[in-house]
Amino acid sequence: MLEKILYADSGAGQTQEMLQALMDLPAIRKASITILRVVPPQITTEALASKWEEGTQMLTKILQEVKIEPSKVSTILRQGDPKDTVCQVADEIGADLILMGSRGLKRLEAILENSVSQYVFQLTNHPMLLVKDDIYVKKIKKVMVALDKSSSADLALDLAIYLLRDYPSAELILARVNPDLKPEFAPTSAKEMEENPILGPAVAKVKRMNIPYRCVVTGGKPGEQLCKLVDDYNVDLLLLGSPDRRPSVAKSLPDLDRLLGTSLSDYVRVNVNCPVLLARKEGI
């Protein structure tokens, strides 16, 4: 399910620490990892040579510091626009996951500052694991998946189960935020939460795989509440369904609801205090 991972390195942020944390998971150790370093076009031959050498050194450093089986890793050093190149390489290798850093810029800010992660987030069909530059990446012990009635949330659950099925050291937190429910009226007993119509089928799936879990149900604004739950439960990784709502003909056009900052995944990727895996694929 996560057989091909594209690690898009920018030389900054916490992505290398995230890759190292992922290597603790047996499911990730089985995957092939492509490390991509993009060298932007330079005006002079000397400047290009300098950037090329810098990129080569960065790839070498990652291979030395991250415990990856040599047969499972390959590197790509390519010249071009980083935004387009990440999307192109993800398509070329059929990436099951893109891992990249993010400055956590708000939607309009990201557009104005030509954010690579925001561009890829908007245009790719591949699941993305975004790691903000200002967070502390921890060993993966608590994983939360946000659940609703959508097929992209089902995909997020499947990815979470895949990651943890052979990794008993972590707990999976199944979270449901009901926007029609006030937080003070949310259920408090474990039995009541497990019987929630959204969480019930997820609990059955998780039990079959013998993954340690707990349920949490609350109400309010989903984006705000998910970020609060991440803090309250000290979550190390959040998985969230992030459907692509645009038809293919509109891929090159701005997505107005995301431009206005109204999408749940856009809110969470900016405000959450842990790495977030946005689950999506074409047609969902």
Side-chain angles (χ1 to χ4, degrees), residues 102-254:
S102 167
R103 287 174 291 168
L105 300 177
K106 293 182 180 178
R107 183 67 179 95
L108 186 56
E109 217 178 352
I111 292 172
L112 294 175
E113 294 203 21
N114 204 25
S115 166
V116 175
S117 62
Q118 176 57 37
Y119 181 94
V120 177
F121 163 75
Q122 180 171 325
L123 293 185
T124 189
N125 288 319
H126 303 273
M128 291 185 69
L129 175 49
L130 289 175
V131 188
K132 288 197 299 180
D133 292 349
D134 60 351
I135 67 167
Y136 177 67
V137 175
K138 299 174 290 182
K139 184 179 177 66
I140 298 174
K141 294 182 178 179
K142 292 186 178 181
V143 176
M144 177 177 285
V145 58
L147 295 170
D148 55 26
K149 298 177 182 178
S150 69
S151 54
S152 60
D154 291 339
L155 176 60
L157 175 63
D158 290 342
L159 288 172
I161 291 172
Y162 181 84
L163 288 172
L164 300 183
R165 63 183 181 180
D166 297 317
Y167 186 68
S169 301
E171 177 186 50
L172 180 57
I173 302 171
L174 305 173
R176 165 62 175 157
V177 179
N178 185 344
D180 300 321
L181 179 70
K182 291 184 178 180
E184 57 267 29
F185 296 128
T188 55
S189 75
K191 183 175 185 296
E192 210 177 350
M193 287 188 280
E194 286 202 11
E195 292 175 349
N196 177 276
I198 299 295
L199 296 190
V203 169
K205 271 189 176 182
V206 172
K207 281 184 174 179
R208 286 196 294 270
M209 302 304 297
N210 295 316
I211 295 173
Y213 75 94
R214 77 169 77 179
C215 296
V216 57
V217 178
T218 189
K221 295 180 179 179
E224 294 177 8
Q225 290 299 321
L226 282 175
C227 292
K228 182 177 184 300
L229 289 174
V230 163
D231 292 339
D232 291 346
Y233 287 88
N234 196 25
V235 170
D236 304 312
L237 175 64
L238 172 67
L239 286 89
L240 175 70
S242 179
D244 183 1
R245 294 179 300 278
R246 290 158 300 150
S248 58
V249 71
K251 282 288 186 182
S252 61
L253 303 176

